[in-house]
Amino acid sequence: MNIVENFDLFAPRLVDKKEYFTSGHRSCQGCGEALAVRLMCKALGEDVVISCATGCMEIVSSMYPATAWEVPWIHVAFENAAAVGAGVEAGLKALRRKGRIPDRYIKSVAMAGDGGTADIGLQALSGAMERGHDMLFVCFDNEAYMNTGMQRSSQTPFGASATTSPAGKVSYGQKTWKKNVPEIMVAHNIPYVATACPSYPLDFMRKVEKAKNIKGPTYIHCLSVCPTGWRSASNTTIKVGRLAVETGIFPLYEVENGKYRITVDMPEPLRPVEDYLKLQGRFRHLKSVEIEMMQERVDLEHRKLMNKVNNLQSWEELEEEGAILEVWESVLAGSEGYIE
Amino acid sequence: MAKRVGMEVGIAAAEAVGLCNIDVAAVYPITPQSHIAEHLSNIVADGRINAEFITVESEHSSISSLCGASATGARTYTATSSQGLMFMHELLPIVSAMRLPIVMGIANRAVSGPLSIWNDHSDIMPQRDSGWITMFAENGQEVVDMTIQSFKIAEHKDVMLPASVNIDGFQLTHMVEPIEFPTQKEVNKFLPDRKPFATLHPDKPITMGAFAMPDRFAEVMKAKDVAIVNSKKIILEVWKEWEKQFGRSYNPVETYKAKDADVLLVTMGSMGETAEIAIDELQKKGVSVGLVKIRLWRPFPTEELKAAVKGAKVLAVTDRAVSFGGVSGPVGMEVKSLFYHEKDRPLITNYIMGLGGRDVTVEDFIKMAEKAVEAEKKGITEEYEFYGVRG
Ligand SMILES: Cc1ncc(C[n+]2csc(CCOP(=O)(O)OP(=O)(O)O)c2C)c(N)n1
Ligand code: SF4
Ligand SMILES: [Mg+2]
């Protein structure tokens, strides 16, 4: 079991030494997504079942007959990790209630890439979150369909050249801004939503631990640097992740019962986006006009976020009779009045 | 002896599931399956069974969530139809490859387009090669019995495959029929708790759903095929056990007045009962005709079908789905290929009929039988015929 309360003080000793996502998997050198999965597993500990979508992490870890997983793990398809995880939760709940498995709490955790979360997997994710399963869903966002060769997703950032949104003579690459999945999750009224990045391992692990301990649907969106797809040097993964935060491109925050909080301070003023862009070949083609557009949008998004952080109250503060927070308890209680 | 009750067959299917001590159900509504979904959720809401009912947002998620639940060791059920089954299609071969004994009721309905909510078999036929045990019910009693049997067959340690019970939409799902329900005690005796081979649990972490390189994939496919072929033995055992306990017998191929008949109609599903009346009338007129009903579609009952039609001169195989541009309808193709190597093979005609809820009457079956008699004299002119279709 991990103890996270004092992580900031005693962190090096408190990180679980045991590996649940073991070495020997076949991710690329410097893969930020594999690092993030490893950290997530350490924060989750043993009593979990992981449902994983098709994608890089599935492919690098599960080539029959070998496996990198030391925890129970299932892969079914690309777009359904949230549904599979929901079924795992329901199965464990029913079997435990009926005394057919030991009376012990086991967390259902579902994971997917940005494609398996924000695009093809969004319906299953929304359904699972709306139904209120006691499940943590973690999106490992490397900003494209990397497993199939770096095609664009709704998470590919503006200006990036991806293989289906390539930069060309008349195109600067991706035209759209990232779909805001954390915000979509907040709109599901779930008790906990957070963004994270393995460049800040303790922040990420604390969030995973927190989400694990909340009985209800929770969501973490983890920016995962992909040197292969981002055309960045494999020894700069941590640095690139840090720059994403310091430029305000990917702020780290959490939303607990409606209350927004920045969890990793950003410099003031933010570092220029160019510092982040210039380390990555996927932005190499950008001209100053596009970089300026990007800077303006990042600044706007930052102000939008800070507006929420500064002005939104938590549901506890807003509600009068404590009714809203009881909703999840009653959802989780189910037909049998069964509650953890 | 349990007493008979008059009940709508869809409701009865849900009642049967209610007797099976399921742990998790996930059902998304679609006509004509909706009454199964609704009634099963009533059973859960009234606390009559101790199960989780996942109100999924789609069929893709109903079957996906049951993958997760079944992998934890839970007994699981879903039901669907038509577009819902097509939406599940991607997952069906995964379920069987992962050897998850999910049981599914299918209220068979035409597949769009044009949109049609009415009955035929065009939803189940595209699932033919997905590795599911697939059987067809002819009446309400069979729906109840086969639903209960399916859990036992699917979960058997020598099978571990998903199974579907096909129930003709409206023509069977919405009929009120006399049905005899086994008691809870009797079902408990017949169907004890599931004893899973391997489950997702931290006490013994396993990896499920690994991917395979070319040097392994084919072996997994063969293993699945061997499993489903061998499942027939268990299916027969379970049916024998059912007969012993409940007195109703089940066979992969059923016959009706087929002995020594020159011409045999071949049906699958609820139309068998209409065809029986046609056989009675024809035999009264002295026509040498009988009926063969395929109950078990996968694994295909090769020996049983050969035995059932032995000596017949013509088989009039009916199909309720189209394999566009193919040699015949799906059942027609199957039966033709089965007899290719036989020395004394019968002539095989193939009638595609009853599409999208088109009525097939006793007279129609009589006409088909007469056409088959004609074909016997004149030889086959076409591989298949859209029976009674304009244009
Ligand atoms: C239904 C379906 N469509 C497409 C694919 C092909 N496919 C497999 S993984 C993948 C992309 C995965 O991208 P993402 O979810 O972002 O994960 P990553 O590999 O980037 O970690 C695609 C398109 C598939 N397996 N299933
Ligand atoms: S492509 Fe990117 S995400 Fe995938 S394994 Fe390689 S570095 Fe990791
Ligand atoms: Mg990705």
Side-chain angles (χ1 to χ4, degrees):
Chain A
M1 280 295 275
N2 301 315
I3 308 154
V4 284
E5 271 81 351
N6 297 326
F7 248 170
D8 296 345
L9 285 173
F10 303 113
R13 288 214 209 129
L14 290 175
V15 176
D16 194 343
K17 266 191 166 171
K18 191 161 185 275
E19 299 294 348
Y20 302 96
F21 181 68
T22 59
S23 60
H25 62 72
R26 304 172 315 134
S27 77
C28 315
Q29 216 171 40
C31 173
E33 200 167 331
L35 173 62
V37 171
R38 179 178 164 221
L39 295 173
M40 172 189 80
C41 287
K42 281 175 181 281
L44 289 172
E46 281 172 5
D47 283 339
V48 292
V49 173
I50 295 180
S51 306
C52 181
T54 311
C56 270
M57 290 305 102
E58 170 257 333
I59 287 294
V60 304
S61 68
S62 71
M63 188 170 96
Y64 182 83
T67 179
W69 298 95
E70 294 283 342
V71 286
W73 181 91
I74 181 170
H75 159 254
V76 179
F78 182 21
E79 64 281 56
N80 64 356
V84 176
V88 166
E89 186 248 9
L92 292 172
K93 193 164 156 188
L95 293 173
R96 186 180 170 196
R97 189 169 65 216
K98 290 166 128 174
R100 298 235 303 279
I101 56 172
D103 186 18
R104 185 162 102 233
Y105 179 66
I106 298 159
K107 187 84 183 185
S108 173
V109 177
M111 57 178 275
D114 46 299
T117 302
D119 296 347
I120 201 166
L122 190 63
Q123 171 178 322
L125 173 62
S126 175
M129 292 287 146
E130 171 268 325
R131 292 190 300 271
H133 293 276
D134 178 14
M135 174 178 83
L136 164 63
F137 189 101
V138 185
C139 168
F140 293 97
D141 178 7
N142 54 15
E143 304 197 316
Y145 304 153
M146 293 309 175
N147 181 49
T148 39
M150 213 185 141
Q151 297 88 7
R152 70 82 76 178
S153 78
S154 67
Q155 298 303 297
T156 303
F158 173 89
S161 182
T163 53
T164 52
S165 64
K169 281 188 186 129
V170 296
S171 174
Y172 54 80
Q174 176 90 339
K175 303 274 183 307
T176 50
W177 200 257
K178 273 172 96 81
K179 187 200 285 183
N180 193 335
V181 183
E183 198 63 22
I184 295 170
M185 291 298 104
V186 172
H188 283 68
N189 285 319
I190 61 175
Y192 188 74
V193 174
T195 62
C197 173
S199 297
Y200 299 85
L202 303 179
D203 178 72
F204 177 38
M205 292 172 74
R206 185 187 62 76
K207 285 168 176 166
V208 171
E209 188 91 12
K210 197 170 195 173
K212 182 190 168 185
N213 291 326
I214 291 170
K215 301 289 179 288
T218 51
Y219 176 83
I220 297 177
H221 195 101
C222 180
L223 184 75
S224 309
V225 178
C226 165
T228 307
W230 295 13
R231 307 281 187 251
S232 54
S234 58
N235 62 355
T236 61
T237 293
I238 303 300
K239 186 174 168 187
V240 171
R242 285 190 170 254
L243 280 166
V245 175
E246 290 170 8
T247 52
I249 282 177
F250 196 86
L252 300 183
Y253 62 94
E254 62 188 8
V255 190
E256 213 174 343
N257 293 329
K259 177 75 185 164
Y260 285 72
R261 193 172 76 83
I262 300 289
T263 60
V264 170
D265 290 337
M266 288 168 277
E268 251 179 277
L270 296 169
R271 288 181 70 159
V273 294
E274 201 166 357
D275 290 4
Y276 173 70
L277 305 182
K278 69 186 179 201
L279 292 178
Q280 305 170 52
R282 63 177 172 157
F283 297 115
R284 187 170 27 218
H285 57 282
L286 290 184
K287 296 199 263 316
S288 55
V289 49
E290 286 119 27
I291 295 175
E292 265 163 43
M293 275 165 76
M294 198 186 282
Q295 185 67 63
E296 276 168 29
R297 180 72 189 250
V298 169
D299 291 343
L300 172 65
E301 291 297 326
H302 182 66
R303 284 195 293 274
K304 277 162 70 179
L305 177 64
M306 294 316 290
N307 185 38
K308 287 176 204 153
V309 170
N310 295 329
N311 296 317
L312 293 186
Q313 290 169 280
S314 79
W315 302 335
E316 287 105 322
E317 288 168 294
L318 289 173
E319 69 186 336
E320 284 169 4
E321 303 289 342
I324 295 175
L325 293 177
E326 280 163 19
V327 165
W328 287 120
E329 287 185 22
S330 72
V331 166
L332 289 168
S335 54
E336 299 274 308
Y338 182 82
I339 197 151
E340 182 58 34
Chain B
M1 181 77 173
K3 76 171 199 304
R4 286 177 153 206
V5 289
M7 194 182 282
E8 187 191 300
V9 172
I11 306 281
E15 283 291 328
V17 175
L19 287 167
C20 292
N21 189 22
I22 59 160
D23 302 305
V24 181
V27 193
Y28 193 80
I30 178 168
T31 304
Q33 157 268 32
S34 317
H35 291 181
I36 304 179
E38 292 164 5
H39 194 66
L40 190 56
S41 48
N42 281 339
I43 291 173
V44 177
D46 288 339
R48 286 172 56 200
I49 62 172
N50 188 351
E52 292 293 314
F53 187 95
I54 311 180
T55 50
V56 276
E57 83 295 336
S58 70
E59 290 86 358
H60 199 281
S61 284
S62 68
I63 193 75
S64 296
S65 63
L66 292 191
C67 287
S70 185
T72 68
R75 177 171 290 159
T76 58
Y77 179 81
T78 189
T80 190
S81 176
S82 180
Q83 306 307 113
L85 187 60
M86 299 298 269
F87 197 18
M88 286 183 185
H89 179 77
E90 182 203 15
L91 283 313
L92 301 182
I94 306 179
V95 177
S96 54
M98 290 175 85
R99 309 295 293 271
L100 299 171
I102 295 168
V103 172
M104 170 154 65
I106 302 173
N108 299 104
R109 158 183 155 181
V111 160
S112 299
L115 187 147
S116 164
I117 57 169
W118 290 279
N119 171 225
D120 67 28
H121 295 164
S122 59
D123 54 0
I124 184 62
M125 284 306 156
Q127 326 307 329
R128 183 190 61 187
D129 301 334
S130 56
W132 282 57
I133 292 171
T134 307
M135 33 187 141
F136 282 79
E138 209 184 322
N139 56 46
Q141 187 65 57
E142 292 189 3
V143 169
V144 167
D145 293 357
M146 287 160 81
T147 300
I148 302 168
Q149 296 157 2
S150 288
F151 286 102
K152 184 158 178 142
I153 293 165
E155 292 170 8
H156 193 284
K157 68 173 179 23
D158 297 334
V159 178
M160 295 203 302
L161 286 170
S164 72
V165 177
N166 287 266
I167 315 164
D168 281 323
F170 289 119
Q171 289 172 359
L172 192 47
T173 55
H174 285 57
M175 293 298 123
V176 174
E177 296 198 357
I179 294 168
E180 192 180 305
F181 280 92
T183 64
Q184 186 66 61
K185 227 170 120 195
E186 287 167 339
V187 177
N188 292 351
K189 180 170 167 242
F190 177 79
L191 180 69
D193 281 348
R194 178 179 166 201
K195 288 187 192 62
F197 170 73
T199 62
L200 294 172
H201 194 278
D203 286 348
K204 192 167 181 278
I206 56 163
T207 290
M208 294 182 77
F211 83 95
M213 295 294 279
D215 70 328
R216 303 271 182 181
F217 186 85
E219 278 69 23
V220 180
M221 293 304 100
K222 184 169 177 189
K224 184 153 100 173
D225 189 54
V226 169
I228 194 160
V229 170
N230 290 349
S231 74
K232 200 173 83 187
K233 179 170 164 278
I234 308 300
I235 295 169
L236 295 177
E237 276 174 31
V238 169
W239 280 345
K240 274 276 152 304
E241 197 183 326
W242 182 270
E243 187 178 354
K244 239 171 98 191
Q245 200 180 331
F246 299 103
R248 290 185 291 275
S249 84
Y250 283 82
N251 297 292
V253 173
E254 305 283 357
T255 54
Y256 181 78
K257 301 188 176 173
K259 207 165 175 302
D260 302 328
D262 288 340
V263 175
L264 289 175
L265 283 172
V266 180
T267 61
M268 201 156 75
S270 65
M271 283 198 177
E273 297 199 335
T274 314
E276 284 180 7
I277 302 171
I279 300 300
D280 290 346
E281 296 200 0
L282 284 162
Q283 288 201 354
K284 258 188 248 154
K285 285 197 231 155
V287 185
S288 176
V289 56
L291 175 65
V292 170
K293 298 179 282 189
I294 299 172
R295 179 193 303 290
L296 188 63
W297 172 235
R298 283 295 181 273
F300 195 78
T302 46
E303 297 86 8
E304 289 83 355
L305 188 65
K306 280 183 189 168
V309 306
K310 209 169 176 56
K313 295 197 179 105
V314 192
L315 303 185
V317 179
T318 60
D319 250 300
R320 310 208 46 207
V322 189
S323 175
F324 297 96
V327 174
S328 290
V331 184
M333 271 193 259
E334 194 86 16
V335 176
K336 285 180 188 178
S337 67
L338 179 65
F339 287 100
Y340 180 76
H341 290 293
E342 298 292 298
K343 257 212 227 100
D344 303 316
R345 56 175 178 260
L347 204 71
I348 300 171
T349 63
N350 185 209
Y351 305 106
I352 294 172
M353 49 107 187
L355 298 182
R358 181 74 58 90
D359 275 343
V360 181
T361 61
V362 172
E363 288 67 43
D364 291 323
F365 279 113
I366 290 174
K367 277 194 197 129
M368 275 181 260
E370 286 168 355
K371 274 171 176 281
V373 172
E374 193 74 357
E376 213 247 315
K377 292 186 197 128
K378 296 192 179 153
I380 298 244
T381 51
E382 50 189 0
E383 290 292 349
Y384 62 94
E385 175 186 337
F386 276 85
Y387 174 83
V389 178
R390 295 182 293 265

